[in-house]
Amino acid sequence: MTIRVLLADDQALIRTGLRGIIESVPDLEVVAEAASGREAVRLARSARADVVLMDIRMPEVDGLQATQLITADEDLAGVRVLILTTFELDEYVLGALRAGASGFLGKGATPTELIEAIRTVANGDALLSGKATRALIARFLTSGDPAPPPDTTVLDVLTDREREVLALVALGLSNDDIATRLHLAPSTAKTHVNRAMTKLGARDRAQLVVVAYQSGLVRPGDATP
């Protein structure tokens, strides 16, 4: 099945380059291009995209605001947003996740990494580069507005194993890594992740990261490099 991609970047040259990379593989197709966040939101509704490749710094409405508008729209529940930017900084990682983005990738990524990232978020998984994950862990509880006290009761719906898996997701481990760490089959690890998402009402793995930190299950000092 072809994955439909919407490009949102205010630089035409960058959009042209991204289009060339994306359309070099048979299972990806660029269905529309937006030069502003406002246009990205409009085209997300009309172009029936599966994944929006979103720049952060754009005119009118920036990428984070556009992401929030897209992910908050019930009619766009199936649309995933992959943030692609040169500014791989902690505040942008945090903002992207809070806005509902499913992934965050630096513009220094290779074409192969970009293609795999689009496939990953289209499949409902989350993608954070290693640098972005470490930045998120280092600053999640200290950047932006003061965080409210952790609410551990949100985790009451999870089993002990699901809590364990959630913590590892928040540390940036993949399903295969989790399976290895806990001596599980990869399919079993994926099942635990999916059940945690369902119980917590998380849109995808990226939102599980947010829940894990906001609940106090994982703290910045728990991060692994």
Side-chain angles (χ1 to χ4, degrees):
M1 188 173 74
T2 301
I3 298 171
R4 299 168 61 84
V5 181
L6 164 62
L7 301 179
D9 195 297
D10 62 339
Q11 299 185 46
L13 189 60
I14 290 179
R15 296 199 307 273
T16 299
L18 292 173
R19 177 184 283 273
I21 294 170
I22 292 169
E23 295 193 334
S24 68
V25 294
D27 61 325
L28 304 183
E29 174 190 7
V30 175
V31 295
E33 296 184 18
S36 70
R38 190 183 308 281
E39 190 177 14
V41 176
R42 178 179 62 80
L43 289 174
R45 296 189 176 112
S46 62
R48 296 185 295 109
D50 300 307
V51 175
V52 180
L53 195 56
M54 183 82 75
D55 187 28
I56 287 181
R57 292 192 172 181
M58 289 189 293
E60 299 180 17
V61 174
D62 68 27
L64 298 186
Q65 291 174 300
T67 296
Q68 192 166 27
L69 290 170
I70 289 171
T71 59
D73 190 331
E74 293 184 359
D75 293 334
L76 299 176
V79 179
R80 306 299 181 194
V81 178
L82 173 61
I83 300 290
L84 182 65
T85 181
T86 55
F87 304 99
E88 197 169 353
L89 304 175
D90 46 13
E91 59 264 32
Y92 291 115
V93 178
L94 178 62
L97 291 182
R98 281 180 169 167
S102 295
F104 188 101
L105 194 67
K107 284 185 177 177
T110 66
T112 298
E113 289 171 336
L114 173 62
I115 290 168
E116 288 306 311
I118 292 172
R119 289 170 176 159
T120 296
V121 298
N123 288 332
D125 293 326
L127 181 138
L128 292 171
S129 68
K131 181 178 179 181
T133 301
R134 290 193 294 274
L136 172 68
I137 290 168
R139 290 289 300 273
F140 189 93
L141 298 179
T142 59
S143 61
D145 297 329
D151 179 10
T152 60
T153 62
V154 301
L155 303 180
D156 290 347
V157 296
L158 301 182
T159 65
D160 290 342
R161 176 63 87 186
E162 287 164 354
R163 289 189 186 210
E164 192 173 15
V165 168
L166 174 60
L168 295 178
V169 168
L171 294 180
L173 274 67
S174 67
N175 287 346
D176 287 344
D177 293 334
I178 292 171
T180 300
R181 179 77 65 90
L182 299 181
H183 306 291
L184 303 172
S187 59
T188 302
K190 183 176 182 179
T191 296
H192 286 308
V193 171
N194 289 341
R195 286 177 178 169
M197 285 170 50
T198 299
K199 291 180 178 181
L200 295 172
R203 180 182 175 93
D204 51 35
R205 292 172 71 103
Q207 295 304 299
L208 286 182
V209 175
V210 175
V211 172
Y213 280 91
Q214 289 180 332
S215 66
L217 178 67
V218 175
R219 296 163 298 181
D222 298 332
T224 56

